[in-house]
Amino acid sequence: MQDFKEVIDRLIKEFNETRSPECEAKVVSLERDSLLVEFTGTAASCSCCFDEHAQDFIYYLKDFTGMDFEITEMKRPTFGKFLVRFERLET
């Protein structure tokens, strides 16, 4: 689990370096086969196309972990914030 956390930390760092301030990701919870990520940023106030950042995050997960993930939940709890759950696909 520690190795997975370190990989996800590097992923988040790179993701934020390339997308901030329009979109920033922060891990809310991390489990063996899933993670909950909070997306905020200057573009988060409009939901149109902002979910594409979460879709792109799947490619980051694949590139950094070598595993396939899918979005199993996406919600907008408050203005300017999206919470997205990613779960690992069994291969």
Side-chain angles (χ1 to χ4, degrees):
M1 182 67 155
Q2 181 62 25
D3 291 337
F4 185 60
K5 181 185 181 324
E6 290 172 5
V7 169
I8 297 301
D9 288 345
R10 288 194 314 269
L11 180 161
I12 292 288
K13 184 176 189 280
E14 183 172 313
F15 183 89
N16 289 340
E17 285 175 354
T18 60
R19 295 174 185 260
S20 182
E22 291 83 14
C23 179
E24 294 183 17
K26 179 177 89 172
V27 175
V28 176
S29 68
L30 181 64
E31 299 171 19
R32 180 184 167 106
D33 294 325
S34 70
L35 60 155
L36 181 64
V37 180
E38 175 185 283
F39 292 94
T40 58
T42 58
S45 60
C46 61
S47 60
C48 177
C49 300
F50 192 78
D51 63 331
E52 290 179 16
H53 292 289
Q55 294 291 336
D56 290 346
F57 198 83
I58 291 173
Y59 294 105
Y60 277 80
L61 285 166
K62 175 69 171 179
D63 290 345
F64 277 77
T65 69
M67 297 182 281
D68 293 314
F69 286 80
E70 68 178 342
I71 294 171
T72 57
E73 181 180 16
M74 181 182 295
K75 55 186 171 182
R76 188 177 182 197
T78 61
F79 184 77
K81 180 190 297 185
F82 287 82
L83 289 174
V84 181
R85 179 164 306 280
F86 299 90
E87 293 190 12
R88 187 168 65 91
L89 294 171
E90 296 296 325
T91 55

